């Protein structure tokens, strides 16, 4: 059994929990409390010098980092059910949708970035919230357009089974709701996320269901 | 022959140029001038509703977005020379190194983010430069530690041939130098980037070599 080092509310860890659950893999959870700064502990820095979570132990015991890389690792090691379609163009589409979230929205709203805004740039609470919502709304605008117009979209972001794109989308929508973003302009996202959250692997990955949930 | 929509100085486009050159693929370049705001033009938004570059036409004419997804597409369609190692753990390592750059450093220093800092948060030039350098130095600190201590590192980030990790690293170091970051603490990065830049596919992908270079 593998160990996942993470934090219940980290959306990058949430992605890996969904992937592990979709694959039906059992795993231990080792909490790293981000609010208490445990990601900067010696033990966590040894696992990941970036001081970030998640870290997942590989089958050989190597600490793997970066959530999308971990999901692709799981998909290569445990091919069923697949997290990517079979054709190269479909795979490019799914990866691009996932990266729209993971490279364009999420990095800007990371805890360390919000801390920098407050501590170094002396941004007040309202401006911090506006920043948070701005990047979500800008990214979701593009994502809604893509998902609405492209034929590849089905019950899920790509076709009728969950993929890496859904794995990234669901935690981002969770964050958006936590920070009270208005999501009424994104009916396609809403529909897909509802379809995901009707499935047990997504339900069991939710922050509120984790042993370290506060 | 495929078309790459991009801008000579965009580091995400620079990554795709390196990948295309490593694969020995011919391509047309269609410039999208980011300084003039052409990424928000109707034509570019039709290709990519995010208003970002790069976009690469797939073999079927579909516009592909997100540079890492495009590189993996090229690797799947044109397997030689490979941009990822053959083993799952090695692939996870290369993807994680690439994502350390593409998810943790680069998104924070994107043009649209720097504009938001100046326009919305009224950050002055010095604070903007400090922000820019902060995320590079923090990310490079972690990357240097990983590359120095892990056995997978060779002449390049992983082994003795260029991979997706090098494709992401070289443009990030180019940006760091452009913004006069002090890179003396990163001798392993330096060595690897020098090895990359000794190769023609990297040389030909450099911003100064592009038809739209200013």
């Amino acid at each position: 059994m593998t160990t996942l080092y993470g934090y219940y509310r980290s959306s990058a860890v949430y992605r890996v929990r969904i992937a592990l659950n979709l694959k039906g893999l059992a795993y231990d959870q080792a909490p790293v409390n981000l609010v208490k700064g445990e990601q900067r502990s010696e033990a966590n820095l040894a696992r990941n010098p970036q001081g970030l979570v998640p870290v997942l132990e590989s089958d050989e015991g190597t600490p793997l980092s970066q959530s999308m890389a971990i999901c692709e690792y799981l998909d290569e090691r445990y091919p069923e059910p697949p997290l990517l379609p079979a054709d190269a163009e479909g795979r490019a589409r799914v990866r691009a949708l996932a990266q729209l979230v993971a490279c364009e929205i999420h990095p800007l709203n990371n805890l360390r970035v919000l801390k920098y805004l407050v501590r170094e740039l002396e941004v007040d609470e309202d401006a911090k919230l506006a920043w948070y919502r701005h990047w979500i709304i800008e990214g979701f605008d593009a994502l809604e357009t893509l998902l609405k117009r492209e034929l590849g979209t089905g019950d899920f972001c790509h076709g009728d089974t969950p993929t890496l794109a859904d794995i990234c989308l669901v935690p981002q929508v969770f964050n958006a709701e936590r920070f009270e973003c208005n999501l009424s302009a994104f009916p396609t996202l809403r529909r897909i996320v509802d379809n995901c959250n009707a499935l047990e692997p997504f339900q069991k990955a939710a922050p509120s269901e984790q042993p370290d949930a506060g």
Side-chain angles (χ1 to χ4, degrees), chain A:
Chain A
M1 187 143 72
T2 185
T3 299
L4 173 64
Y5 297 88
Y7 182 60
Y8 74 107
R9 220 161 52 187
S10 153
S11 64
V13 181
Y14 190 174
R15 294 175 197 155
V16 176
R17 288 196 302 263
I18 298 169
L20 286 161
N21 294 350
L22 284 168
K23 296 292 185 183
L25 297 168
Y27 55 102
D28 282 325
Q29 294 203 49
V32 178
N33 190 314
L34 302 189
V35 174
K36 291 189 186 157
E38 290 177 2
Q39 68 276 27
R40 309 292 315 166
S41 70
E42 215 173 301
N44 199 60
L45 288 171
R47 284 187 292 267
N48 180 356
Q50 283 185 276
L52 295 173
V53 288
V55 168
L56 184 78
E57 279 179 1
S58 78
D59 294 356
E60 288 77 22
T62 306
L64 305 178
S65 63
Q66 291 294 337
S67 59
M68 286 191 298
I70 294 172
C71 291
E72 295 236 17
Y73 170 84
L74 292 172
D75 204 37
E76 293 181 355
R77 274 288 168 95
Y78 305 95
E80 295 300 326
L83 304 180
L84 290 169
D87 62 306
E89 204 171 281
R91 295 163 73 85
R93 179 173 184 260
V94 168
R95 288 189 177 117
L97 294 171
Q99 288 168 24
L100 197 160
V101 171
C103 301
E104 311 294 345
I105 302 176
H106 179 250
L108 296 162
N109 291 344
N110 232 330
L111 188 59
R112 68 200 167 99
V113 176
L114 302 179
K115 278 187 180 164
Y116 190 100
L117 288 177
V118 172
R119 290 182 189 166
E120 308 296 329
L121 301 181
E122 297 177 353
V123 159
D124 66 23
E125 192 61 22
D126 281 353
K128 189 183 87 173
L129 265 176
W131 163 280
Y132 197 99
R133 291 171 182 152
H134 175 81
W135 303 113
I136 290 182
I137 299 301
E138 187 184 89
F140 280 4
D141 266 335
L143 202 52
E144 177 72 20
T145 302
L146 285 170
L147 291 169
K148 198 155 67 182
R149 83 178 182 197
E150 292 183 352
L151 297 173
T153 308
D155 290 341
F156 297 93
C157 286
H158 192 82
D160 295 329
T161 54
T163 63
L164 184 63
D166 306 289
I167 286 173
C168 290
L169 175 60
V170 165
Q172 189 61 62
V173 168
F174 171 85
N175 281 353
E177 290 181 326
R178 192 173 148 231
F179 284 85
E180 297 173 1
C181 296
N182 180 352
L183 302 182
S184 59
F186 313 118
T188 313
L189 295 195
R190 178 84 278 159
R191 175 178 67 76
I192 291 170
V193 167
D194 287 347
N195 288 340
C196 290
N197 285 331
L199 302 178
E200 193 175 285
F202 284 86
Q203 290 164 4
K204 286 198 169 162
S208 60
E209 302 304 304
Q210 306 317 308
D212 58 331

